[in-house]
Amino acid sequence: MAERKDRSSKIYRSMPALLPCKLPSLKHYTCLYGQPCWPDPGAFSALASQVSQPLLHSVPPASACYRHPPLSENCSDVTTHYKDGVWRSNHPGAMQMANFETFISPSGSISACYLNQGSIPPIGVNATSVHDVQAAVKFANRNNLRLVIKNTGHDYLGRSAGKGGFMLWTHSLKEMTYSSSFIPDGAPSNGTEVFNAVTFGAGVQWFEAYAFAHQQGRFVVGGISFGGSIGAAGGWIMGAGHSALSPTLGLGVDNVLQFSVVLADGSLVVANAYQHSDLFWALRGGGGGTYGVVVSATYKTYADFPLTLYILSEVVTQFIRLHPTISDAGWGGYSSITPSNLRLAFAKPNATVADANSTFAPLTNLAFNATGGNVQTLPLSYPSFLDWFNAFFRGEAGQVGIQLYIANRLLPRKLAVENPAKAAKLMLSIPRDFSSVAGGAVSRVDPSSTGLNPSWRGALSEVYITETWPEGSSAATIAQHVESLKKDTDIIDQLTTDSGSYLNEASLFEKDFKKSFFGPHYSKLKSIKNKHDPASLFVVAEGVGSDEWDSDLECRVNGQKRPLP
């Protein structure tokens, strides 16, 4: 874990003052750490007296290893758990992707060393209650601070980081409740559907949520990652919320019943189909960190079920051709494609090994004949979703603790049906992976019913590409990877005419993020944001309304387009 060399070998022991933005068309700017407008110690002492926990003073987690000499016990903990998503989520200064802990200045220097915050906000609130959230939001609003909302830091756009900002850490909001007769607030007393539902606080993670639902004999559609560190009531759900089981049960936005939200003025509202319905619409696909602070989300649940997994290696074009049939049958999963190999793993609730063999027989037989029998298939059955999740994901580390940029496109069902050879050729032209998390139940939802990009309703899967680089790389090296990502994005962009993209696994370097992430819903989403957040307290990279700000999200610009990163 080498120390950064871009500025010098010297350890920077204080964060330099930041200059306020100075633009001729300035309408508004956020106050950042180091500027004269930054609240004085007395203001922070007053805030500390209003909240339940001491104020946070976060640093990047590897700071223990940059001391001279290193704090051996703490540094050992860092090196042991550096790629453990759950460990990272328990540290307010840790992002799941380590590059978002750093900051690259316009001159090309990189800051992330001991006590140099990088992009980690220097101070914040550890919220353990709605009251704490309200106090933090009011404080940020009153002092015109850049508010950074963070739960797990599992974010490929860096929305839970912000140099010189003020952090609201929601990770401690861990309350979970179950109701077998849930009725959304404000619903009519007669004729309203009653749900088996779970409510998760903003800090609950999916490994906790799945176990809780399983204890009730229930299942809830959620995110899947190694370790299960993704938050259950944060950016995942507000960006669509895909799952391997979405082809059977829909996306997260199709299963959420209600949100509790703290707005920019500090008020707590409940948004659902019956009250604050515009906000409920926007929160289902309009992006996290944009309209308010979601402090809890309520989901409908399903009776627990057995699950079958089908693993196969080989043959691409035939898979693309068969993909619509697979999704329509309710199978979803994760796959990778290279010129020499196709590996896929699909799962389905209430399916048997015989069902799996029958569904995948056309692909398996073709692969067997094309390779002379050099095909591996592995159907596996599990008594419950939780058993599968624990076997493949719960105890695993990975996906995190690296430097990574990502981009993706949604593969349209129409292309797979009408021209699978073209889709296969494009997907074989660069290294890529894909998540078969659309089609089936996802496609049967009215595109206008949520704020989600309508491209999702005509898609089969998410095709994504990544760029990684070694820790300690120079800004010039990182810039080369950015250019490579842009080039490969142009290639996968040919998969779709509308550049539809999953914004939770998306690129910071989109040519038109409004089109890619939100499609024709952008104008309505922005109108809803302006209604509930007129002063634009909630601003995140490539979020709704960010086009009114400069590329650093520091200066609100009148009549100017936001520069590309």
Side-chain angles (χ1 to χ4, degrees):
M1 196 173 299
E3 180 185 335
R4 305 288 171 140
K5 301 291 186 180
D6 295 76
R7 302 187 73 162
S8 73
S9 60
K10 175 182 178 182
I11 299 295
Y12 281 76
R13 297 187 175 276
S14 62
M15 184 175 175
L18 302 175
L19 297 175
C21 52
K22 295 180 180 179
L23 295 175
S25 55
L26 180 67
K27 278 180 63 177
H28 178 71
Y29 68 92
T30 54
C31 182
L32 303 176
Y33 174 79
Q35 296 176 348
C37 56
W38 187 255
D40 60 28
F44 282 109
S45 294
L47 173 64
S49 69
Q50 300 171 25
V51 295
S52 62
Q53 303 295 313
L55 296 184
L56 296 170
H57 298 277
S58 301
V59 294
S63 61
C65 300
Y66 289 128
R67 287 181 182 262
H68 293 292
L71 296 176
S72 57
E73 181 178 346
N74 292 343
C75 183
S76 177
D77 189 47
V78 170
T79 55
T80 300
H81 298 289
Y82 204 67
K83 294 188 177 182
D84 182 334
V86 175
W87 178 87
R88 282 186 162 272
S89 70
N90 290 331
H91 290 72
M95 302 296 147
Q96 299 289 309
M97 297 300 121
N99 49 296
F100 289 112
E101 297 169 6
T102 68
F103 179 78
I104 303 177
S105 74
S107 66
S109 63
I110 299 178
S111 59
C113 294
Y114 168 57
L115 289 187
N116 189 310
Q117 299 298 131
S119 288
I120 307 301
I123 194 168
V125 168
N126 177 11
T128 63
S129 67
V130 171
H131 173 78
D132 289 346
V133 174
Q134 292 173 307
V137 168
K138 290 178 181 178
F139 183 82
N141 205 353
R142 183 167 59 250
N143 291 282
N144 196 33
L145 306 181
R146 178 176 179 183
L147 180 61
V148 176
I149 306 167
K150 181 180 184 290
N151 173 19
T152 67
H154 205 297
D155 185 11
Y156 295 103
L157 292 173
R159 293 169 294 183
S160 51
K163 186 176 179 67
F166 173 73
M167 180 185 292
L168 171 54
W169 199 36
T170 62
H171 191 59
S172 298
L173 297 173
K174 294 285 192 180
E175 184 176 2
M176 296 183 283
T177 60
Y178 170 72
S179 172
S180 60
S181 56
F182 178 81
I183 299 176
D185 289 12
S189 56
N190 295 320
T192 300
E193 184 177 0
V194 177
F195 296 93
N196 275 281
V198 286
T199 299
F200 299 132
V204 173
Q205 295 165 273
W206 281 116
F207 79 90
E208 299 166 316
Y210 290 142
F212 178 78
H214 183 72
Q215 291 170 5
Q216 323 303 322
R218 309 296 294 179
F219 167 77
V220 57
V221 174
I224 298 176
S225 64
F226 289 133
S229 62
I230 297 171
W236 178 84
I237 175 64
M238 288 178 273
H242 75 45
S243 164
L245 305 190
S246 289
T248 297
L249 301 174
L251 298 166
V253 296
D254 305 324
N255 286 276
V256 68
L257 300 171
Q258 180 167 289
F259 294 102
S260 294
V261 191
V262 173
L263 299 179
D265 62 2
S267 61
L268 176 68
V269 301
V270 174
N272 55 38
Y274 305 97
Q275 55 189 39
H276 299 288
S277 58
D278 60 336
L279 185 60
F280 185 55
W281 184 88
L283 289 170
R284 290 178 294 154
T290 300
Y291 309 93
V293 183
V294 171
V295 294
S296 70
T298 301
Y299 294 90
K300 60 183 176 183
T301 67
Y302 302 86
D304 217 343
F305 44 72
L307 176 144
T308 293
L309 176 71
Y310 190 82
I311 301 174
L312 168 72
S313 295
E314 279 306 337
V315 187
V316 178
T317 300
Q318 176 64 9
F319 168 66
I320 299 297
R321 183 178 289 113
L322 187 62
H323 198 173
T325 301
I326 294 171
S327 293
D328 289 347
W331 292 87
Y334 309 101
S335 309
S336 64
I337 292 177
T338 68
S340 61
N341 193 27
L342 163 69
R343 289 184 55 84
L344 59 87
F346 275 68
K348 182 183 176 181
N350 294 310
T352 65
V353 169
D355 294 332
N357 288 333
S358 175
T359 299
F360 290 92
L363 182 60
T364 304
N365 293 338
L366 179 69
F368 187 90
N369 293 331
T371 63
N374 186 25
V375 175
Q376 292 181 329
T377 62
L378 184 63
L380 299 169
S381 290
Y382 297 87
S384 72
F385 168 85
L386 188 65
D387 289 296
W388 172 58
F389 177 78
N390 286 340
F392 277 83
F393 300 99
R394 178 66 186 99
E396 297 293 325
Q399 293 181 264
V400 306
I402 58 176
Q403 289 65 232
L404 180 143
Y405 283 138
I406 190 169
N408 75 81
R409 288 293 180 263
L410 300 175
L411 173 66
R413 176 192 179 93
K414 183 178 180 181
L415 179 62
V417 171
E418 297 179 356
N419 201 338
K422 176 184 176 181
K425 182 178 180 180
L426 286 170
M427 294 167 71
L428 285 168
S429 62
I430 52 175
R432 86 297 310 129
D433 296 282
F434 59 96
S435 301
S436 298
V437 291
V442 176
S443 64
R444 294 191 285 271
V445 176
D446 180 356
S448 66
S449 64
T450 70
L452 183 67
N453 188 338
S455 294
W456 270 100
R457 306 306 179 182
L460 282 177
S461 61
E462 172 206 1
V463 180
Y464 61 95
I465 54 177
T466 60
E467 285 287 328
T468 63
W469 56 93
E471 183 175 348
S473 295
S474 67
T477 296
I478 297 172
Q480 291 174 355
H481 285 280
V482 169
E483 291 305 312
S484 180
L485 185 78
K486 292 178 181 178
K487 180 180 177 181
D488 288 347
T489 302
D490 288 341
I491 294 175
I492 62 169
D493 210 18
Q494 298 174 54
L495 290 170
T496 171
T497 57
D498 62 9
S499 69
S501 178
Y502 177 40
L503 68 89
N504 282 341
E505 295 173 350
S507 170
L508 276 169
F509 312 102
E510 286 285 346
K511 294 177 180 177
D512 186 349
F513 77 88
K514 293 185 286 186
K515 177 182 177 183
S516 295
F517 299 164
F518 309 105
H521 285 165
Y522 186 81
S523 294
K524 182 176 179 180
L525 289 167
K526 191 169 183 179
S527 175
I528 294 170
K529 175 178 173 54
N530 291 341
K531 172 185 174 182
H532 294 283
D533 182 24
S536 203
L537 174 65
F538 303 109
V539 184
V540 295
E542 297 189 341
V544 172
S546 65
D547 53 322
E548 295 183 353
W549 292 76
D550 69 358
S551 59
D552 294 322
L553 303 181
E554 296 177 12
C555 306
R556 193 172 185 176
V557 182
N558 183 21
Q560 292 188 5
K561 294 182 179 179
R562 180 187 175 207
L564 289 174

